[in-house]
Amino acid sequence: MSFIVYIIFSGKLDRYYIGYTTDIGKRIIEHNSGASAFTSKATDWVLKWKKHFTSRELAMQEERRIKAKKSRKYIEYLVGQR
């Protein structure tokens, strides 16, 4: 099973969201349908970046590492690496 760390963006809120999942398509639908509390304020979430991991632990470490930077500039750097 593959775990995916992802970054999505809402133009309406001008905000990024970082998370991890095993099913990126399903997860984006959940974000855009209001099923996730933090992202329920918008319905225009778009996938901007993703990275695959072989274990949940590695994915969680990467998610925490990105979030710990508390930096929009760093997130935009990652997103720009496509």
Side-chain angles (χ1 to χ4, degrees):
M1 178 178 289
S2 178
F3 295 86
I4 304 162
V5 176
Y6 63 93
I7 299 173
I8 55 176
F9 178 77
S10 165
K12 176 183 174 188
L13 300 177
D14 191 31
R15 299 227 23 200
Y16 288 95
Y17 176 87
I18 304 149
Y20 80 93
T21 185
T22 56
D23 186 340
I24 193 70
K26 179 181 175 189
R27 191 67 180 123
I28 290 174
I29 290 168
E30 290 172 352
H31 285 300
N32 282 320
S33 68
S36 179
F38 181 84
T39 59
S40 64
K41 297 174 188 78
T43 58
D44 66 337
W45 294 100
V46 176
L47 180 65
K48 293 293 189 176
W49 179 88
K50 67 180 177 178
K51 186 173 180 181
H52 293 263
F53 293 87
T54 56
S55 73
R56 174 174 285 148
E57 293 76 23
L58 291 173
M60 289 172 68
Q61 287 174 5
E62 180 69 358
E63 178 191 23
R64 282 193 302 268
R65 187 186 70 76
I66 294 168
K67 287 180 175 180
K69 292 194 178 284
K70 298 185 187 297
S71 171
R72 180 180 179 117
K73 191 173 187 175
Y74 179 69
I75 291 169
E76 289 175 345
Y77 164 77
L78 286 178
V79 168
Q81 286 188 322
R82 296 184 115 191

